Amino acid sequence: MFTGMNIMKPRFFILNSLLILSAAATAKPVPARLFQSGMVMQRGTEVPVWGQADAGEQVSVRFKKKTYTATADASGRWQVTLPSQKAGGPYDIEIKGNDNQTQVITDVLFGDVWLCSGQSNIDVTVERVYPIYNKVVDEYDNPKIRMFRVMTDFNTHAPLSDIKPTPINWKKANKENAMSFSAVGYFLAREMYEKTGVPQGVIVNSLGGSPIQAWLDADTLRRQWPAEYSRTLFFQDDDMVSAINASNNKAQQRWNSLLDSSDPGFAQGYASLSLDDSKWKRINVFRTNAAGHLESVNLTRNHRYNGTLWARQHFNIDAAHAGQGARLFVGTLYDADQTYVNSREVGRTFYQYPPRRYTIPAGVLQHGDNVIAVRFTTKGGAPHFIPEKEYKLVFDDGTVVSLADEWLTCEGVQLPQCPGADGGGQNLPSVLYNAMLHPLAPYALSGVVWYQGESNTGDGDKYEQYLSQLIGGWRQLWKRPDLPFCVVQLANFLEPSDQPQQSGWAEVREAQRLTTEHLPNVGLTVAIDLGETVDIHPLRKREVAERVANVFDHLVWKKSAPLSPRITNVHTDGNVITLTADQPLRQSDRLYEFETAGSDGRFVNAEAQSEGNRITVRSAVTNPVTMRYAWKHNPIRAGVYSAAGVPMSPQQIDLSK
């Protein structure tokens, strides 16, 4: 997959260490980087405040006319504990050391604080989902909601004492600040504010593509999975890593340079309106061959395409809109793109997932014929358009010019695969725990949202153990064995099937469900109806946040809230299986996505219906021993919902017990 700027990140632990040592050498106490003006601190519990100073330095923290003191230890760390507070504010916190110079943290609120962690579906920003929530985002401005983003960092050696410096401090919830913030975090804060009326703080420390192992502590990995942790040990040689990274960077620079200099599309004006494209191949870009590739693309023997492909489409503009600016929607593309309108570059994206929403400046569009040209760049797979997305131009007055499914295509240039060795990095076991999680403790929290698993769909047999260890390890780090966790289950994704299938996605969902069943004070947010067939980053993040908020209602405040139905009893009579749920269900005479298997383990579809709080499943297998529900990548017809409209989790049930 081409990621454009996929260059190994530098070893930020060196920079962090130097910054901390430099700060301590000034004899001026420095609070940890979470403690900044505008922050939200947790109500109803003692609140730790900590930072760095010279070893042995006396530090005083003044809050609400009382002073709390601490002495920095041999490493320079100091910590005081503020007493429990009711929701409210704003307050000031003053920090002073031996030199009597005072630092003041202003506009501090007390309320509820939530930590949102995981991979890219937590990363997905409000800007990404804005088209479906534009009105509710435009009209919302709440200074009592504050948002903090932990900057990406990793460390192969040991846990860091502080996070990387961040320009995105505690920002108030308005459209401008929200657009680049986590959509789940933003909507969760809004939901919790509506439920409680108290200030809300959201801390997001997630990283797209990260496996769960990167968020586990080293001791757990050494003890439970030493072979996995050996990868991290291998990359603890900083000189070796620097050499590999330098080589990788040089190789990518060379590859990109050759790509641009060899691509005939630049020299021959493939983006130009005047280009004679009459001999280009016209294809339906959403019609692919059996392998899922565009028919016009010439792949290598291993089905990789390393290089560029150009696609053009002509469209007409009437006289009334000629010269006007517009918004161009080009769906999502595999993998990177540069997009032009009448030779003018209007946007580029360096990897697959972001929606292409580009601005066409005034003066570019002309009356009559116009052309869009898309230059794809891939380093594997094959370039293609993603179906079921928006492909159109939109003018300010609401006029829409739809783009056709047929485009003209022409190969640009293909190159050998870009060479490069594995330089280690942000996906190694424990490295994100070290740099992005450990420094946050023991900041007082209401609860944790864990939304991850896409990168572990090949680890379904181990994921429950991974997740249980993560929850236990984080609770131990915070010294809170009952710290509430909400696990967001993987949404539906990929091509639906009407037949039983083996699915790594289903295995991870089951591991997530079982973890919440086996550990106390852990809840599950089911999102099996909120996914998209063609997008691993589904857009309905507000609905996810609403369900997360209901889970925390139940876990934190013990309130009744709409939760996913749970099966509390299973009874088998021949080939009829009766499932009893913990709440009333939507009545349905025909439910899909149920399967049963006999002792041979071969699953076949089963008939099912629901009434009251019961589901009746009629197995086509005599003497069934196992039943599965929604056990697919994308069980799009899964129809078991509570009466309140919350879906039941996919699951597997052993009928032999």
Side-chain angles (χ1 to χ4, degrees):
M1 180 187 301
F2 178 78
T3 57
M5 299 300 184
N6 188 20
I7 298 173
M8 289 304 304
K9 295 178 173 61
R11 314 305 288 176
F12 290 123
F13 69 91
I14 298 174
L15 175 60
N16 270 341
S17 300
L18 291 175
L19 287 171
I20 292 167
L21 290 172
S22 174
T26 66
K28 182 178 180 181
V30 178
R33 294 188 178 106
L34 269 174
F35 297 96
Q36 301 175 13
S37 293
M39 67 182 175
V40 177
M41 305 184 83
Q42 182 60 43
R43 61 169 169 157
T45 186
E46 293 184 336
V47 177
V49 179
W50 71 92
Q52 288 290 133
D54 282 342
E57 184 173 5
Q58 295 294 311
V59 179
S60 64
V61 176
R62 187 167 178 79
F63 174 70
K64 293 177 70 173
K65 299 181 179 180
K66 292 185 178 181
T67 300
Y68 308 85
T69 61
T71 301
D73 64 18
S75 68
R77 183 182 174 94
W78 57 266
Q79 180 172 313
V80 302
T81 302
L82 303 183
S84 176
Q85 302 291 319
K86 294 182 179 179
Y91 303 107
D92 291 345
I93 297 176
E94 299 177 359
I95 301 173
K96 185 165 55 177
N98 291 343
D99 61 359
N100 285 323
Q101 295 185 33
T102 301
Q103 300 178 69
V104 182
I105 302 174
T106 64
D107 191 23
V108 178
L109 302 179
F110 278 81
D112 298 320
V113 182
W114 311 97
L115 175 62
C116 297
S117 193
Q119 60 179 111
S120 54
N121 270 301
I122 280 287
D123 274 348
V124 167
T125 63
V126 172
E127 190 278 333
R128 179 85 67 89
V129 305
Y130 177 74
I132 61 174
Y133 304 118
N134 53 7
K135 187 174 182 180
V136 296
V137 173
D138 289 345
E139 296 176 353
Y140 197 78
D141 188 333
N142 189 339
K144 291 187 178 180
I145 293 177
R146 312 288 174 85
M147 306 173 293
F148 188 98
R149 171 74 209 194
V150 177
M151 297 297 287
T152 299
D153 197 3
F154 65 95
N155 190 292
T156 59
H157 292 264
L160 299 181
S161 60
D162 209 349
I163 56 175
K164 183 183 176 184
T166 170
I168 308 174
N169 303 328
W170 290 95
K171 301 291 188 182
K172 298 177 182 179
N174 55 42
K175 178 182 177 181
E176 179 183 1
N177 293 331
M179 292 296 273
S180 60
F181 194 72
S182 160
V184 170
Y186 167 77
F187 284 117
L188 173 63
R190 289 180 52 159
E191 285 295 316
M192 301 315 291
Y193 183 83
E194 292 301 314
K195 289 175 179 289
T196 65
V198 307
Q200 300 292 311
V202 181
I203 301 168
V204 173
N205 71 330
S206 55
L207 183 61
S210 58
I212 193 172
Q213 296 95 317
W215 297 97
L216 290 168
D217 66 279
D219 288 342
T220 294
L221 287 158
R222 289 191 194 99
R223 183 176 63 253
Q224 299 287 346
W225 300 282
E228 291 193 44
Y229 187 65
S230 65
R231 294 171 51 223
T232 304
L233 291 175
F234 182 76
F235 288 103
Q236 288 180 351
D237 185 323
D238 298 332
D239 290 339
M240 178 197 76
V241 170
S242 295
I244 292 174
N245 289 342
S247 175
N248 286 346
N249 292 345
K250 189 67 176 176
Q252 291 208 31
Q253 291 170 10
R254 177 63 176 161
W255 195 90
N256 289 331
S257 176
L258 283 173
L259 189 76
D260 289 347
S261 63
S262 305
D263 191 340
F266 290 134
Q268 298 179 25
Y270 285 4
S272 172
L273 177 61
S274 61
L275 177 77
D276 180 4
D277 54 19
S278 59
K279 295 184 180 179
W280 284 35
K281 186 172 183 179
R282 183 181 298 276
I283 65 168
N284 183 318
V285 296
F286 304 120
R287 189 174 299 148
T288 57
N289 59 26
H293 305 305
L294 294 181
E295 303 261 347
S296 66
V297 175
N298 297 314
L299 299 175
T300 59
R301 287 184 179 179
N302 60 355
H303 297 286
R304 298 181 66 89
Y305 189 101
N306 301 294
T308 63
L309 178 80
W310 290 79
R312 287 166 56 91
Q313 179 167 153
H314 292 265
F315 61 97
N316 285 300
I317 295 295
D318 59 28
H321 292 92
Q324 292 188 21
R327 288 281 281 170
L328 173 62
F329 295 79
V330 203
T332 55
L333 310 171
Y334 189 89
D335 195 4
D337 76 283
Q338 293 165 256
T339 297
Y340 304 83
V341 176
N342 296 343
S343 299
R344 174 77 171 265
E345 183 175 336
V346 296
R348 64 173 67 189
T349 304
F350 294 104
Y351 64 111
Q352 171 184 357
Y353 297 112
R356 273 57 167 182
R357 300 197 288 260
Y358 299 143
T359 298
I360 303 174
V364 173
L365 296 173
Q366 64 181 39
H367 181 211
D369 187 36
N370 296 262
V371 70
I372 297 170
V374 178
R375 183 199 190 220
F376 292 85
T377 302
T378 64
K379 291 185 178 180
H384 60 275
F385 292 77
I386 307 298
E388 301 179 27
K389 296 294 182 179
E390 294 183 308
Y391 296 86
K392 62 185 180 182
L393 281 81
V394 180
F395 290 92
D396 288 344
D397 64 3
T399 299
V400 175
V401 177
S402 297
L403 300 182
D405 292 350
E406 289 192 341
W407 290 64
L408 300 168
T409 59
C410 180
E411 185 174 305
V413 61
Q414 289 207 54
L415 295 177
Q417 186 174 353
C418 182
D422 181 4
Q426 60 200 29
N427 288 338
L428 290 171
S430 84
V431 298
L432 300 181
Y433 175 95
N434 288 344
M436 295 178 66
L437 190 280
H438 183 273
L440 303 181
Y443 199 89
L445 304 171
S446 269
V448 178
V449 181
W450 178 252
Y451 192 170
Q452 191 275 341
E454 297 89 345
S455 290
N456 288 96
T457 53
D459 300 318
D461 58 332
K462 295 186 289 186
Y463 194 84
E464 183 185 354
Q465 189 178 3
Y466 286 145
L467 184 53
S468 297
Q469 291 289 346
L470 179 138
I471 293 171
W474 289 21
R475 285 174 165 174
Q476 184 176 10
L477 179 63
W478 259 266
K479 298 181 180 178
R480 285 191 58 189
D482 62 344
L483 179 62
F485 268 75
C486 177
V487 176
V488 181
Q489 195 178 55
L490 293 184
N492 51 306
F493 176 54
L494 300 173
E495 192 66 28
S497 171
D498 60 3
Q499 295 300 316
Q501 64 180 188
Q502 294 303 311
S503 170
W505 286 75
E507 290 175 356
V508 170
R509 292 186 194 113
E510 179 72 342
Q512 292 168 326
R513 183 186 71 87
L514 291 174
T515 301
T516 65
E517 296 281 342
H518 296 160
L519 293 182
N521 224 32
V522 182
L524 182 69
T525 290
V526 178
I528 199 62
D529 59 332
L530 300 179
E532 298 181 31
T533 299
V534 297
D535 200 335
I536 200 171
H537 304 122
L539 300 182
R540 294 172 63 189
K541 294 297 189 266
R542 186 183 189 185
E543 290 83 346
V544 171
E546 289 171 347
R547 293 177 186 177
V548 171
N550 287 335
V551 169
F552 282 132
D553 253 1
H554 176 72
L555 294 179
V556 179
W557 294 292
K558 313 304 179 186
K559 292 182 179 179
S560 177
L563 300 176
S564 180
R566 294 174 57 190
I567 301 301
T568 57
N569 183 264
V570 179
H571 177 73
T572 303
D573 184 6
N575 72 330
V576 178
I577 305 155
T578 303
L579 310 174
T580 303
D582 63 351
Q583 58 189 288
L585 305 172
R586 284 183 183 172
Q587 182 171 335
S588 176
D589 294 332
R590 184 71 180 271
L591 293 172
Y592 297 91
E593 309 292 8
F594 283 90
E595 308 162 2
T596 56
S599 57
D600 61 358
R602 180 176 173 271
F603 284 89
V604 297
N605 290 331
E607 296 181 356
Q609 61 186 47
S610 60
E611 183 175 4
N613 67 336
R614 293 187 175 182
I615 302 169
T616 303
V617 181
R618 289 176 173 79
S619 172
V621 176
T622 304
N623 299 320
V625 298
T626 310
M627 190 205 74
R628 299 193 307 203
Y629 168 67
W631 196 272
K632 295 173 181 174
H633 312 320
N634 186 2
I636 200 166
R637 297 191 297 174
V640 180
Y641 286 80
S642 70
V646 184
M648 185 172 78
S649 170
Q651 56 195 281
Q652 179 168 288
I653 297 175
D654 185 351
L655 302 175
S656 63
K657 294 181 179 179

